[in-house]
Amino acid sequence: QVQLVESGGGLVQAGGSLRLSCAASGSILSINSMGWYRQAPGKQRELVATITSGGRTNYADSVKGRFTISRDNVKNTAFLQMNSLKSEDTAVYYCNLIGSTGIQYRDYWGQGTQVTVSL
């Protein structure tokens, strides 16, 4: 089993910053990538940012230049630094991990953390 525990969400004013953390634990043997997705009310879940084990990053156009994803491969933890937050960033943010416990690679998801940006 693999568990993802997210932290760092909350309420912030527009223009402010938040830092999300996602710690992976359990019987994970290999991690391909970690990332963040978000889902706003009435909308589909969308990619925010991902980072591979080699450090290659990918960002949604809407967050480029404002958000930075990073990763601690030793601690199996991913971070999302969110700056210059906008009201449209309000959503539940989900941590994602693509990894293997020894058989095959699959997706794992965290429980989600609420980010609310007020005007």
Side-chain angles (χ1 to χ4, degrees), residues 22 33-37 49-51 69 78 94-97:
C22 173
S33 66
M34 296 184 73
W36 295 90
Y37 289 70
T50 60
I51 184 168
I69 189 169
Y94 295 92
C95 179
N96 171 262
L97 181 152

Side-chain angles (χ1 to χ4, degrees), residues 71-92:
R71 180 173 160 180
D72 183 332
N73 287 336
V74 174
K75 296 182 178 180
N76 288 340
T77 301
F79 306 95
L80 185 68
Q81 178 67 42
M82 304 185 294
N83 298 329
S84 302
L85 282 161
K86 305 175 181 179
S87 59
E88 51 262 45
D89 295 318
T90 295
V92 177

Side-chain angles (χ1 to χ4, degrees), residues 41-118:
K43 295 187 177 181
Q44 290 188 334
R45 189 174 297 189
E46 63 177 5
L47 178 146
V48 177
T50 60
I51 184 168
T52 68
S53 57
R56 187 171 70 247
T57 59
N58 181 46
Y59 295 93
D61 288 342
S62 59
V63 307
K64 284 180 181 177
R66 300 188 298 121
F67 291 10
T68 301
I69 189 169
S70 59
R71 180 173 160 180
D72 183 332
N73 287 336
V74 174
K75 296 182 178 180
N76 288 340
T77 301
F79 306 95
L80 185 68
Q81 178 67 42
M82 304 185 294
N83 298 329
S84 302
L85 282 161
K86 305 175 181 179
S87 59
E88 51 262 45
D89 295 318
T90 295
V92 177
Y93 284 69
Y94 295 92
C95 179
N96 171 262
L97 181 152
I98 299 177
S100 170
T101 57
I103 299 176
Q104 62 183 14
Y105 282 83
R106 54 156 287 185
D107 283 277
Y108 297 91
W109 293 92
Q111 79 284 358
T113 185
Q114 177 69 47
V115 171
T116 303
V117 183
S118 63

